[in-house]
Amino acid sequence: MVEILAIALIAAVLALGVYLGLERLGRRATMPASFRFVAWTLLGLLLIDQSCARQPGSIRPLVLLDASLSMAGVGARWDEARETASALGDVRPIGPLGPDSAPLGGRSAVGDALLAATAAGRPVWLITDGEIDDASELSPGLLAQAGVRVLPRERRPDLALTGVIGPDRVSLGDTLRLDVEVSGFDLPDRREVTIEVASGEQRWFSRAVPLEAGSGRATLEYALPASVPAGLHLLTVSLRDAADAEPRTDQRLHALAVLPTPGIVVVAASPGWESRFFFRALTDVAALPVRGYYAVERDRWVRMGDVAATSAGEVEQAVNRADLLVRFGDLPERFGRVRARARWDWLATGSGTPVVEGDWYLSPGGVSPVSGAFVALPTDSFPPATGLANLAPGPRDWTGLSALLNRRGGERAAVVGRDSSGIRQVQVGVTGLWRWAFRGGESEQAYRAWVAATTSWLLGASDSTTGVARPIRAIVQQGRPILFERLRPEAATVRIDLTGPEGPRADTLRFDGAGRAELLLAPGRYDYGLEGGGRGVLGVEVYSDEWTPRPVTLTDREATVTASAGREPLRDKLWIFGILIGALAGEWWWRRRSGLR
């Protein structure tokens, strides 16, 4: 109160001083001085941010409206929820809304919004269908501060394709395997459903999946014919004749790159532990499709993995078209004349290479493209190699691993890499390295990391991770953003050009401190290109977990905590600004009418 009187007194003195002292208007100064007194008093109150008392009954509640997709699903009560929220107070949606005010949120999470709303000191209400993903994370104390209105949706029979898992890269002639999961809701008598796989308008194949109690899992296999074009395919996996209430759960997307070459080919002169453990690790970490072959007799070969017999012609064709060729043992001379873009030779496994047997303990060989695989790992305590061939690194070669016989003497090169005329090559001069993988634990981690790092260096910039950024997942459910990760630390914002269902458009990726950027798109297929390098295909599914029926985890409740009396900033009163503008305009009008400036 003292501050208000002081400001009013100062404003009165200044206003009278101007019109009586400077302007010398006498009694004519009454009206303009009054206008200026009011204006300067209000300006002073706003500048010191004066507040006024606020009664609890005058505070409108803050209403959190669950705007997840489940609120607009079949049997949902979105219109009723909006009307209820508007009647209770000021509405704040949890999640994005579409142009027609339809909910677009891809996940039902309310915890963060509730925590922020209760901190505002206002009564809080939550309007939802009760199907909350983070209900287990909501503390009783937090829920006690908010009232809850649950408008559950009506359950209706539904058959949903809830899972599709498969490789993202295959080569021509490979067998595509897709693991699918079908979930039935209130359809216990359904015994079978047909799943169809298509690429655009071209239908690839269909298979029947048996159901038990309305649900089922199966692995779909399809040998890619030569008619399938190489390139990126956005496969549509759908339930045919689902005949249920929610068609948006009947279709999923799967991104698949069909490569004209097998990518990585492993050939071994005979089955052995070294090649078996290597092939298993390579298939787990490599980005390209991997094929492996053993020679069991002259011109008799079997495939690694499924041990299926194959022809020598298939092996030669795969070797000739490989991007990366890995060789074990004494192979036919024609395999040595292949000009693959990268080669990985295990020299010590051949009978023609002299090998010094013994316990050879390995350690990182200094700075190299693969040295990061051994950081903070005690490689000298891993199982020793059993033999070492003589490798002679050149002046421009790098040494990935060095070996010590019985931990004594001088170090000798065990793994050497070189880049000559655009062809990268790695030579492994030890035997028994498979024991790292066999032992498990840290030694297995080091083995797999070394295989991954070496493969990455050999392939150079041939994979799809080149460019300024890449999507972490190319396919996302409706309502969820596509996450990009930055590959170049200097990139803060990146322009992205998209071609989708509504034509071409441009957007900007803004990366946070963790090097991640989000992009929210409507359902459909999108071809994208990044400024600075990087392109590919993105897909947003019509499907969402929000469409499937889920348990109702919240119930109606009244808020047990009410807002207390407090103070409200004067700046929140719009009528204050109206009076201020009116006073300034009134003074200006009087002065103009009186011929004053």
Side-chain angles (χ1 to χ4, degrees):
M1 189 63 180
V2 176
E3 294 88 348
I4 298 176
L5 292 176
I7 290 174
L9 179 60
I10 294 172
V13 171
L14 292 175
L16 292 174
V18 170
Y19 279 100
L20 295 180
L22 296 179
E23 301 281 357
R24 299 182 182 279
L25 297 180
R27 293 183 178 180
R28 294 173 57 203
T30 303
M31 184 173 293
S34 299
F35 282 132
R36 182 165 292 193
F37 164 74
V38 172
W40 283 2
T41 300
L42 293 179
L43 279 174
L45 294 176
L46 291 173
L47 285 174
I48 67 172
D49 197 15
Q50 185 67 31
S51 61
C52 56
R54 178 178 62 180
Q55 299 300 321
S58 65
I59 303 174
R60 281 179 59 81
L62 190 61
V63 184
L64 303 179
L65 177 59
D66 182 4
S68 61
L69 288 171
S70 63
M71 295 289 289
V74 173
R77 301 155 66 180
W78 173 246
D79 292 336
E80 183 181 348
R82 289 180 59 194
E83 294 174 0
T84 303
S86 299
L88 286 174
D90 297 332
V91 181
R92 301 290 186 272
I94 307 176
L97 297 177
D100 56 352
S101 297
L104 298 179
R107 187 169 182 264
S108 297
V110 301
D112 292 341
L114 267 178
L115 186 62
T118 53
R122 300 169 60 179
V124 177
W125 284 93
L126 172 64
I127 311 299
T128 178
D129 57 7
E131 301 177 15
I132 303 300
D133 294 335
D134 60 347
S136 60
E137 303 172 14
L138 302 179
S139 65
L142 180 61
L143 283 175
Q145 301 180 60
V148 180
R149 287 288 181 268
V150 178
L151 303 175
R153 56 176 169 171
E154 179 185 352
R155 288 180 65 97
R156 297 181 183 178
D158 184 40
L159 201 62
L161 187 56
T162 51
V164 175
I165 300 175
D168 57 358
R169 295 168 183 251
V170 295
S171 56
L172 291 175
D174 283 348
T175 297
L176 172 64
R177 293 177 175 84
L178 296 176
D179 295 324
V180 298
E181 180 181 15
V182 180
S183 299
F185 303 92
D186 301 324
L187 288 170
D189 298 331
R190 193 71 180 266
R191 291 291 177 263
E192 187 180 81
V193 68
T194 299
I195 294 183
E196 184 176 273
V197 179
S199 175
E201 300 296 328
Q202 182 182 6
R203 176 180 171 275
W204 280 17
F205 66 96
S206 62
R207 299 285 187 273
V209 174
L211 304 178
E212 183 177 347
S215 300
R217 295 185 179 183
T219 298
L220 312 181
E221 296 188 353
Y222 176 64
L224 295 178
S227 59
V228 172
L232 290 171
H233 294 265
L234 195 61
L235 302 184
T236 303
V237 185
S238 54
L239 300 179
R240 195 169 66 186
D241 301 326
D244 55 11
E246 180 55 91
R248 290 172 291 191
T249 62
D250 300 341
Q251 187 180 99
R252 303 299 301 269
L253 299 178
H254 182 74
L256 180 69
V258 178
L259 305 178
T261 67
I264 304 173
V265 175
V266 182
V267 286
S270 62
W273 293 112
E274 204 77 75
S275 57
R276 288 178 180 176
F277 278 92
F278 173 81
F279 180 76
R280 183 184 304 172
L282 184 63
T283 54
D284 289 340
V285 303
L288 295 177
V290 181
R291 289 188 192 174
Y293 303 94
Y294 295 120
V296 291
E297 291 181 7
R298 180 179 178 84
D299 291 333
R300 285 190 58 195
W301 297 82
V302 296
R303 293 178 183 170
M304 297 182 184
D306 58 6
V307 200
T310 187
S311 65
E314 177 184 333
V315 177
E316 288 197 31
Q317 184 180 27
V319 168
N320 290 330
R321 298 172 65 183
D323 288 325
L324 168 58
L325 178 62
V326 186
R327 302 184 300 181
F328 287 85
D330 299 318
L331 293 165
E333 184 180 352
R334 61 184 182 275
F335 287 175
R337 297 193 296 267
V338 174
R339 191 172 176 82
R341 196 158 44 83
R343 295 195 306 187
W344 194 341
D345 296 320
W346 293 68
L347 300 180
T349 58
S351 59
T353 303
V355 174
V356 178
E357 297 184 353
D359 290 337
W360 293 92
Y361 289 88
L362 304 175
S363 61
V367 178
S368 72
V370 301
S371 57
F374 310 113
V375 173
L377 292 175
T379 55
D380 58 346
S381 65
F382 293 169
T386 57
L388 179 69
N390 182 31
L391 298 181
R396 302 182 62 180
D397 297 347
W398 53 263
T399 300
L401 286 171
S402 299
L404 282 174
L405 181 60
N406 298 323
R407 293 197 175 99
R408 295 191 298 270
E411 290 187 342
R412 298 174 60 179
V415 175
V416 173
R418 62 177 57 96
D419 190 344
S420 176
S421 301
I423 298 178
R424 294 186 173 183
Q425 183 180 10
V426 169
Q427 294 179 336
V428 180
V430 292
T431 57
L433 195 57
W434 62 270
R435 300 201 293 176
W436 281 21
F438 180 79
R439 181 177 180 178
E442 289 185 328
S443 63
E444 183 182 19
Q445 295 176 21
Y447 184 84
R448 290 168 59 89
W450 170 70
V451 171
T454 306
T455 303
S456 178
W457 180 80
L458 284 168
L459 292 174
S462 65
D463 60 21
S464 64
T465 63
T466 58
V468 66
R470 66 179 176 186
I472 296 177
R473 292 188 59 189
I475 306 295
V476 297
Q477 297 180 16
Q478 182 179 175
R480 300 189 181 184
I482 297 175
L483 290 178
F484 282 82
E485 64 177 352
R486 181 174 54 199
L487 298 178
R488 298 179 186 172
E490 69 276 8
T493 60
V494 175
R495 173 189 169 95
I496 179 171
D497 294 301
L498 300 157
T499 302
E502 299 180 356
R505 54 165 287 197
D507 210 323
T508 302
L509 300 178
R510 292 178 172 83
F511 295 95
D512 58 18
R516 300 288 179 88
E518 294 185 356
L519 182 64
L520 189 62
L521 299 172
R525 171 194 168 115
Y526 296 86
D527 296 287
Y528 77 90
L530 297 175
E531 181 184 18
R535 61 182 59 253
V537 175
L538 304 174
V540 181
E541 299 177 304
V542 176
Y543 174 90
S544 172
D545 290 336
E546 294 285 321
W547 300 133
T548 60
R550 294 173 299 157
V552 176
T553 53
L554 291 181
T555 58
D556 283 344
R557 59 173 294 120
E558 297 291 335
T560 58
V561 177
T562 58
S564 58
R567 302 192 66 83
E568 184 177 12
L570 203 59
R571 293 175 181 177
D572 292 345
K573 304 292 186 181
L574 293 179
W575 57 267
I576 292 291
F577 294 92
I579 296 175
L580 173 60
I581 295 173
L584 293 173
E587 182 186 8
W588 175 85
W589 169 80
W590 188 92
R591 292 181 64 87
R592 295 291 293 178
R593 184 181 179 186
S594 301
L596 300 175
R597 292 183 178 180

